[in-house]
Amino acid sequence: MILNPDHVTIAVADAEAAIGFFALLGFRKDHVAAIDGGIPAQYMGMPRMKAQHITLVLEGSKPRFEIQLLEFDPLSGTDPGAHPTNLRKLGFNHLAFRVDDIEATTAHLVAHGVVMLSDEMDYIGRKLRLFEGPEGITFELVQREE
C-alpha cells in the first residue's frame, strides 16, 4: 500500500540557512511558492496562513525525495495558530507517504478509525490528503501524476 517516503516538511525560522544546510547534503532548490491564504492554507487547516513554501529535491534520488520548508509570516511563536496537530510549530511538520491510489488508501485508513484532517487537494501535479497519526503527528498521502 505505501510505496516510499515522498517528502518531509520542516517549519523554519530562517529559510536561507536551512537551504544552505540541506545543499550540503545534496538537495537543490526546485520550487518556491508564497502561501497567502487560499487553497494550500485551507488544506493545512490554517485559512489565514502566510508562508514561503520552498521545495528542495535530493539530486539523483530515485524515486524523487523532497524536503519542503515552511517559513511562516509571522514566525511561529508570535502567532501559534490553532490546528489539531500544530502544523505551525518550528521543527518537524509532517511526514508524507507516496501511494498509488489515494482514494483506496484513504478509505482503508478511515475504515480503521484514522482521523482525516483535510479534503483531497490537487497541487503541483499531485493529489494530497492530511491525516492525524499517533501522538498527534500529521502525516500526508501523496499520489503523483507520473
Side-chain angles (χ1 to χ4, degrees):
M1 190 159 75
I2 295 292
L3 301 176
N4 56 268
D6 186 83
H7 68 270
V8 174
T9 300
I10 303 169
V12 297
D14 183 345
E16 289 306 314
I19 291 166
F21 172 81
F22 288 110
L24 296 171
L25 301 173
F27 286 84
R28 68 169 168 77
K29 192 181 333 181
D30 182 67
H31 184 269
V32 177
I35 299 173
D36 188 358
I39 293 171
Q42 291 172 7
Y43 171 71
M44 291 185 70
M46 297 176 278
R48 293 182 300 280
M49 177 177 117
K50 292 183 181 183
Q52 287 295 309
H53 180 275
I54 302 149
T55 301
L56 308 176
V57 177
L58 182 58
E59 292 282 5
S61 176
K62 298 285 185 216
R64 179 181 170 108
F65 181 70
E66 300 173 350
I67 291 180
Q68 298 177 359
L69 304 175
L70 284 174
E71 185 177 48
F72 290 106
D73 179 20
L75 290 176
S76 184
T78 57
D79 178 17
H83 191 277
T85 55
N86 196 12
L87 289 172
R88 264 189 80 73
K89 70 182 179 183
L90 293 178
F92 175 78
N93 189 272
H94 71 276
L95 174 62
F97 292 106
R98 190 168 179 182
V99 297
D100 57 0
D101 185 339
I102 197 167
E103 288 82 12
T105 305
T106 295
H108 174 75
L109 293 172
V110 170
H112 286 85
V114 176
V115 176
M116 191 169 52
L117 297 175
S118 72
D119 291 328
E120 186 177 298
M121 179 176 80
D122 290 324
Y123 186 67
I124 315 174
R126 55 192 103 170
K127 294 179 181 179
L128 310 170
R129 181 166 280 145
L130 293 171
F131 296 85
E132 184 173 351
E135 305 300 330
I137 67 166
T138 300
F139 72 93
E140 182 176 40
L141 297 180
V142 178
Q143 180 181 330
R144 291 187 177 267
E145 298 173 8
E146 295 179 330

